[in-house]
Amino acid sequence: MKRVYVKEEACMGCGLCRVYCLAEHSRTRDIIKAFKRESPRSLPRIRVERNGEVSFSLQCRHCDEPWCVYSCFTGAMYIDEVTGAVAVDAEKCIGCWTCIVACPYGALTRDRDRKVVAKCDLCPGNDVPACVANCPNEALVFAEDGKAGQLVRN
Amino acid sequence: MGKKKAIRTEYLLIGNSAGGIGAAEAIREVDKRNSIKIVSDEPYQAYSRPLISKYLAGERNVDEMLFRPADFYSRNGIDHLLDRKVEHLSLDRRIAQLASGEQIIWKKLLLATGGVPIVPKMKGGDKEGVFTFLALKDAIAINAFIEDDSQAVVIGGGLIGISVTEALMKRKAGVTVVEMKDRVLNTILDETASSIAEEALRQAGVRVVTNQTVAEVTGGDRVDGVVLDNGERIRCDLVVIAIGVLPRIELVSGTDIKVNRGIVVDRCMSTNYPDVYACGDAAEAYDFIYGANRLTPIWPNAYIGGRVAGYNMAGVRAEYRGGTAMNSLNYFGLDIATAGMVVPPDDRHWEVVSQRNNGAYQKIVLNDDLVMGMVFVKDIEKSGMIFSLMKDRVKVTNFRQALLADDFGLAYLPRELWQECLGTVPAGSTSAFGMPAKAEEPISSE
Ligand SMILES: Cc1cc2nc3c(=O)[nH]c(=O)nc-3n(C[C@H](O)[C@H](O)[C@H](O)COP(=O)(O)OP(=O)(O)OC[C@H]3O[C@@H](n4cnc5c(N)ncnc54)[C@H](O)[C@@H]3O)c2cc1C
């Protein structure tokens, strides 16, 4: 399936991906209104990690063997049959946050206002997710690939 | 009941819950053809057991508790035999005898039979108004019984006790929790976190009594109160027993299948008996923190164990990496994530790092630079990364200082590890603008 990959050597840790992610998931989809007018403010679904010279952004890896899905007891987390992406059904989610403990990447966020988990949805409707489209140094790529995350060891 | 003809199946799964469904889904990934039969003595499609408290609270109906879509069984070609109890197994003949008189002959068998509530012997325990809280039928029964101002005594301050307490409070009942040990949630939290949880309960109006147990339930046919060990009488209309769960092993006790506290399974979730597997609350599987088989009765372990069993039953070798007690709680507005040994068992070789501020509390228990336990209260977002270090047995030697830092993240891990997390950028892939993305040449200051 298609995922977002980061080229750590190109990532500057500027955080614009996070800004555009928030805007994309806002009601108005307007970057200024999203930050200054909307309340509650929408949530970014991407983290920016920085440690000294190292920086990279990170969002849901859409694992082939997703611990979050396996750990979800409401059935809210699921693998989309068509795209293979890890998705959440907000109607079913009760905000128990078991998925957050299960995710090795810290890629899931609590939406405390709606009491549901918020995660990367790869920006449905866009050719390319907002984080990728707005990275000033082309550190993010949206590409087809093999796997991420392993449960079964042969 | 008249004897019916035996039906044959490739896969017989007993238990239609986390474990059974996990197995069925894995089997269907690799075997689309052979027959799967899943049997449950409960009359419902697979529902979420932890959500029985939401049912009691009036927040979810039965349909909203189903963790798979209504057409799950038909779409996957799974026969589900509901409201049918397996009464007896003839292991050598591979026959399951159902209470309905039906017989099922299996090639591969999974025991995902879950648990039974522990019910202490106490005087008056058989009165009307005494409940357990493990199945939807229990929540339905309590729902039919309580009224707006009912007074309840919940025996047991563990996860299930707190869960039913919250539901009862939402139904405007008054609740007293009676806990035998000196603090609530004592098996999964340390003292500090327990006291934070207890404070949240008190704030919500729950009375918490510790170091006590219920000696007697009083009343006529119906409950009218309880008497504690110390002689205190508490008036109440109902009593909910929530002191724990034991593996449901009635089908295998006395057979050749090895049972310790639960049904003993290897890393393939196989019992010692050929073609018989077990998982979930009924099983005793590998716990990576204790390095031994243990009961870890939580949903994720049941589902993942079921999955591993399913692959192996279908002839695809898979290995259970192990589970441990891991819980995410959010009762009474408090988010808590906990896993593993939250209190060091002794003073040797153990190290604890913790911090507390603004109502948040974090604690990590280390042994020989391995994370052995964690408790996160309020700020739980980073708990998954710590739990993963625990699960993958990663030595934290070079970054232990950073574990509880505000900006802790994957970037603090050794490069190989975070690189693996990020995955490799597929070769030849292009950036958003169709250009092969490349790194800048370093500009040196000289
Ligand atoms: C109130 C409550 C809250 C919980 N909260 C959490 C939580 O927050 N997080 C978490 O991880 N876990 C939680 N749990 C635990 C979780 O629900 C269990 O770990 C999980 O359901 C175990 O799944 P299982 O498939 O092993 O067994 P079960 O879910 O117990 O299912 C076993 C099924 O098999 C059936 N069965 C057994 N024997 C037979 C037979 N002979 N014939 C036919 N059918 C049979 C049973 O009736 C049952 O339907 C909670 C449990 C309760 C009760």
Side-chain angles (χ1 to χ4, degrees):
Chain A
M1 73 157 282
K2 266 188 142 176
R3 298 188 175 86
V4 178
Y5 294 89
V6 61
K7 300 189 165 199
E8 169 265 328
E9 63 283 10
C11 174
M12 306 176 289
C14 68
L16 275 177
C17 49
R18 209 169 139 82
V19 171
Y20 281 93
C21 179
L22 184 154
E24 180 65 28
H25 294 93
S26 67
R27 268 159 313 204
T28 56
R29 293 193 180 200
D30 176 298
I31 193 163
I32 294 164
K33 286 189 188 131
F35 276 86
K36 303 307 280 182
R37 303 250 186 90
E38 288 188 23
S39 176
R41 188 187 275 182
S42 59
L43 292 168
R45 290 107 202 274
I46 186 165
R47 274 211 342 269
V48 180
E49 293 247 359
R50 301 179 188 91
N51 178 17
E53 310 245 305
V54 173
S55 61
F56 51 82
S57 63
L58 183 84
Q59 64 297 83
C60 170
R61 305 316 300 141
H62 298 280
C63 303
D64 291 332
E65 293 277 0
W67 294 102
C68 58
V69 174
Y70 299 160
S71 301
C72 176
F73 59 67
T74 63
M77 299 290 270
Y78 65 100
I79 301 176
D80 188 295
E81 280 175 29
V82 180
T83 63
V86 174
V88 57
D89 176 349
E91 291 284 303
K92 287 207 105 97
C93 182
I94 57 158
C96 76
W97 320 134
T98 306
C99 54
I100 291 183
V101 189
C103 175
Y105 309 123
L108 305 173
T109 312
R110 289 176 290 176
D111 180 340
R112 275 180 273 194
D113 293 307
R114 298 169 59 218
K115 209 162 188 281
V116 295
V117 71
K119 68 179 296 299
C120 164
D121 55 6
L122 295 169
C123 297
N126 297 8
D127 290 342
V128 166
C131 55
V132 177
N134 294 289
C135 176
N137 200 30
E138 300 179 19
L140 294 171
V141 291
F142 188 45
E144 194 77 46
D145 175 51
K147 50 181 157 245
Q150 289 271 299
L151 166 72
V152 182
R153 279 197 306 205
N154 292 313
Chain B
M1 243 167 262
K3 197 163 174 172
K4 294 180 193 162
K5 211 174 129 234
I7 37 176
R8 286 175 187 279
T9 186
E10 182 78 16
Y11 307 103
L12 174 59
L13 317 177
I14 306 178
N16 178 38
S17 183
I21 297 297
E25 290 185 336
I27 292 170
R28 275 293 172 258
E29 272 177 28
V30 292
D31 178 355
K32 302 249 187 290
R33 199 171 52 91
N34 285 303
S35 76
I36 302 179
K37 291 198 192 306
I38 191 161
V39 186
S40 172
D41 58 0
E42 293 190 79
Y44 312 100
Q45 292 205 0
Y47 70 88
S48 175
R49 195 164 303 285
L51 289 187
I52 63 173
S53 59
K54 302 284 173 197
Y55 176 91
L56 179 56
E59 294 172 355
R60 294 258 154 145
N61 60 35
V62 177
D63 284 344
E64 292 162 345
M65 293 170 70
L66 305 182
F67 65 92
R68 287 297 178 264
D71 63 353
F72 171 79
Y73 301 94
S74 59
R75 281 189 62 186
N76 288 290
I78 298 167
D79 250 358
H80 55 307
L81 290 82
L82 304 182
D83 211 358
R84 308 268 239 298
K85 186 176 173 194
V86 178
E87 250 179 6
H88 179 77
L89 300 174
S90 302
L91 291 173
D92 51 345
R93 292 157 65 215
R94 299 171 179 254
I95 297 175
Q97 179 70 50
L98 272 55
S100 59
E102 292 157 295
Q103 289 189 333
I104 303 175
I105 303 178
W106 73 80
K107 282 198 179 150
K108 311 275 167 154
L109 173 68
L110 175 70
L111 301 163
T113 49
V116 286
I118 301 174
V119 179
K121 285 204 178 66
M122 56 184 177
K123 211 173 147 204
D126 54 356
K127 292 188 194 305
E128 194 191 335
V130 179
F131 301 91
T132 54
F133 199 64
L134 198 63
L136 183 49
K137 69 167 176 5
D138 301 325
I140 290 171
I142 298 173
N143 182 51
F145 189 87
I146 59 167
E147 284 153 29
D148 258 7
D149 50 357
S150 290
Q151 294 298 311
V153 166
V154 172
I155 309 178
L159 174 74
I160 294 178
I162 300 307
S163 149
V164 69
T165 297
E166 188 188 58
L168 291 167
M169 293 298 289
K170 284 181 179 167
R171 292 292 298 274
K172 308 221 171 1
V175 186
T176 302
V177 175
V178 180
E179 165 58 47
M180 189 170 65
K181 298 258 175 67
D182 59 353
R183 55 192 178 87
V184 296
L185 296 165
N186 55 67
T187 59
I188 56 174
L189 300 183
D190 69 342
E191 263 180 47
T192 307
S194 280
S195 71
I196 298 173
E198 205 168 303
E199 184 52 33
L201 283 160
R202 294 220 161 88
Q203 289 284 327
V206 178
R207 179 172 173 223
V208 181
V209 179
T210 52
N211 294 311
Q212 285 300 320
T213 182
V214 170
E216 183 185 346
V217 179
T218 58
D221 289 345
R222 243 177 124 118
V223 173
D224 72 7
V226 299
V227 183
L228 303 183
D229 274 346
N230 65 1
E232 187 193 339
R233 289 177 177 273
I234 302 173
R235 198 199 71 73
C236 67
D237 309 295
L238 70 152
V239 173
V240 183
I241 299 170
I243 58 174
V245 179
L246 284 175
R248 188 165 167 186
I249 51 174
E250 72 221 18
L251 287 174
V252 295
S253 44
T255 71
D256 290 341
I257 292 181
K258 196 173 159 205
V259 178
N260 187 23
R261 292 186 66 200
I263 303 167
V264 179
V265 291
D266 63 17
R267 298 292 279 269
C268 295
M269 307 308 285
S270 170
T271 68
N272 62 315
Y273 203 91
D275 299 327
V276 180
Y277 295 76
C279 69
D281 288 10
E284 207 178 281
Y286 186 70
D287 181 319
F288 56 77
I289 288 299
Y290 289 82
N293 278 30
R294 281 187 98 233
L295 300 177
T296 58
I298 60 162
W299 185 279
N301 294 354
Y303 182 86
I304 293 166
R307 233 182 130 71
V308 170
Y311 283 130
N312 285 299
M313 291 166 79
V316 174
R317 196 182 145 77
E319 199 177 281
Y320 184 60
R321 291 175 55 175
T324 198
M326 172 271 248
N327 277 285
S328 176
L329 324 179
N330 44 21
Y331 296 110
F332 299 99
L334 191 65
D335 291 342
I336 303 179
T338 151
M341 292 188 201
V342 294
V343 179
D346 59 63
D347 294 339
R348 285 171 297 129
H349 315 298
W350 294 82
E351 198 190 333
V352 169
V353 285
S354 67
Q355 68 186 22
R356 215 180 155 170
N357 48 36
N358 296 326
Y361 172 60
Q362 283 137 7
K363 170 179 175 178
I364 295 176
V365 177
L366 300 162
N367 183 324
D368 195 17
D369 282 348
L370 290 172
V371 182
M372 302 298 275
M374 62 171 209
V375 189
F376 283 73
V377 179
K378 200 173 154 201
D379 292 341
I380 58 142
E381 241 97 21
K382 304 270 174 78
S383 61
M385 285 184 276
I386 304 295
F387 183 58
S388 172
L389 296 174
M390 219 163 134
K391 191 167 58 187
D392 291 340
R393 318 302 293 140
V394 176
K395 287 255 183 195
V396 301
T397 319
N398 297 325
F399 56 98
R400 66 202 297 169
Q401 278 11 321
L403 289 172
L404 292 182
D406 279 348
D407 62 349
F408 174 72
L410 298 176
Y412 283 89
L413 270 43
R415 177 172 281 266
E416 321 81 73
L417 282 183
W418 59 250
Q419 275 177 339
E420 199 182 308
C421 293
L422 298 177
T424 31
V425 185
S429 58
T430 52
S431 74
F433 312 103
M435 304 280 289
K438 67 169 207 291
E440 291 295 315
E441 289 296 319
I443 303 167
S444 89
S445 54
E446 269 132 308

